[in-house]
Amino acid sequence: MTDHNVAVGVLVSGTGTNLQALLDAEASGSLGPAAIQVVICNNPGAPAIARAQAANKTTHVVDHRGRSRAAFEDALLEALGAVDLVVLAGFMRVLTGHFLQRFPSRVVNTHPSLLPAFPGLDAAGQAIAAGAAISGVTVHFVDTTVDGGPIIAQAQVPVLPGDTPAALHARIQVEEHKLLPRVVVELASRIARDRAART
Ligand code: GRF
């Protein structure tokens, strides 16, 4: 890694399709100055881990079970090391100020709804139950609220007649897999520019 790289840590919990979108973007040279330095998963059985390993990424499993919240966050911080940007890509744990203060405005999350609508679990199911005509995906900065931090970018996805939560979520993910890498490129480019301006 050179000084021009912006080191990114990715936190995952599950399937890892958003992680895969980031890995694919990096492999194809379209992640800008962002370099995925480490992938951390809180769920030992998650398929996301194999995706990271297949891309030869440094991978850590930091299980939240059996640890206090503070000890869990300390272990995450240690595994992250000196990254410049943290991406929550389907990371299903809430982070507190203890963690977030280490990375001010440097932690982003992707959520499958047009926030502030439908925060929390089963966002696609919530959108269908509410009769929404349009849903989508939001990438936002993470603060201590659940899915409530400042919005960076959104993409809309129509809710179709007869949609199931799984079908809607799958169509939202098509957009999510484009939007998240795009935002990472933008933020990493900004970090790289700020760094260059200071030297
Ligand atoms: C994504 O849709 C993300 O928005 C939500 O959880 C899902 C994770 O999917 N927070 P994956 O693990 O990236 O496939």
Side-chain angles (χ1 to χ4, degrees):
M1 179 163 333
T2 71
D3 284 351
H4 305 298
N5 284 129
V6 172
V8 176
V10 185
L11 269 52
V12 292
S13 297
T15 312
T17 62
N18 282 288
L19 167 66
Q20 192 68 57
L22 294 169
L23 292 168
D24 291 348
E26 184 178 34
S28 69
S30 50
L31 206 55
I36 299 170
Q37 180 161 295
V38 60
V39 176
I40 302 168
C41 185
N42 68 303
N43 172 11
I49 300 167
R51 294 178 188 270
Q53 288 169 341
N56 289 319
K57 294 298 175 185
T58 301
T59 306
H60 297 280
V61 174
V62 179
D63 199 335
H64 60 282
R65 290 169 301 184
R67 285 179 160 107
S68 69
R69 202 172 278 274
F72 173 60
E73 293 189 349
D74 282 339
L76 291 178
L77 289 169
E78 190 179 342
L80 277 168
V83 297
D84 302 298
L85 182 65
V86 179
V87 178
L88 310 188
F91 182 67
M92 302 306 284
R93 306 297 299 172
V94 173
L95 295 169
T96 73
H98 178 68
F99 179 95
L100 294 170
Q101 68 178 359
R102 267 285 307 275
F103 296 102
S105 298
R106 293 286 176 93
V107 183
V108 299
N109 180 47
T110 179
H111 180 79
S113 76
L114 295 178
L115 292 170
F118 315 128
L121 294 175
D122 189 22
Q126 290 186 58
I128 291 169
I134 294 175
S135 191
V137 55
T138 303
V139 180
H140 64 95
F141 287 113
V142 176
D143 63 14
T144 54
T145 64
V146 174
D147 302 324
I151 290 169
I152 303 168
Q154 295 182 308
Q156 295 188 352
V157 174
V159 182
L160 302 180
D163 246 345
T164 61
L168 175 57
H169 190 213
R171 288 203 319 285
I172 290 172
Q173 284 211 302
V174 173
E175 297 307 315
E176 185 172 45
H177 296 159
K178 294 184 248 176
L179 189 67
L180 182 62
R182 224 176 66 208
V183 169
V184 169
V185 170
E186 278 172 27
L187 294 177
S189 302
R190 195 184 304 167
I191 290 168
R193 277 197 306 274
D194 289 350
R195 190 190 286 163
R198 283 199 311 270
T199 54

